[in-house]
Amino acid sequence: MLTLTENATLVIKSITGVEGAPEGAGVRISQENPADPALAVTTTEAPRPGDQVVEEAGARVFLEQNAANALDDKILDAAVDDKGGVEFLLVPQPGANGTVPTP
């Protein structure tokens, strides 16, 4: 299952916890075509039917089924640039795909 870094958790909470946002809002990641690696990231009030919900320290990520399959062994990280833009980064989880983590 997708996991979140502390940075990703903080960034997601900051963009979904703005004043007036509904309780339980989150970031939704979707993938239109499983053969295409492109992912779409949007903020949303709630998960859609069939979405997998990943919640960590109050940050909520909703994964559309194709995206959930593609990101099952990934870690989501995030950063904010000096202009306030958010950048998400996906990295493999240690031990994913038969790799052995280095000590």
Side-chain angles (χ1 to χ4, degrees):
M1 177 180 282
L2 178 73
T3 59
L4 311 177
T5 65
E6 186 177 340
N7 283 344
T9 301
L10 293 172
V11 169
I12 291 167
K13 286 174 25 178
S14 73
I15 60 178
T16 60
V18 295
E19 191 172 326
E23 184 74 28
V27 170
R28 185 170 193 266
I29 303 175
S30 59
Q31 182 181 32
E32 223 173 275
N33 179 353
D36 181 356
L39 298 168
V41 179
T42 56
T43 56
T44 186
E45 296 180 0
R48 292 187 186 171
D51 281 358
Q52 182 181 88
V53 178
V54 175
E55 189 165 358
E56 200 160 310
R60 299 183 76 198
V61 177
F62 313 128
L63 300 171
E64 173 271 333
Q65 188 60 53
N66 291 332
N69 292 337
L71 303 178
D72 188 48
D73 60 351
K74 303 290 188 281
I75 298 170
L76 181 66
D77 196 7
V80 179
D81 65 24
D82 56 357
K83 295 179 182 169
V86 174
E87 182 177 282
F88 288 103
L89 173 69
L90 291 164
V91 295
Q93 292 178 3
N97 299 326
T99 59
V100 178
T102 54

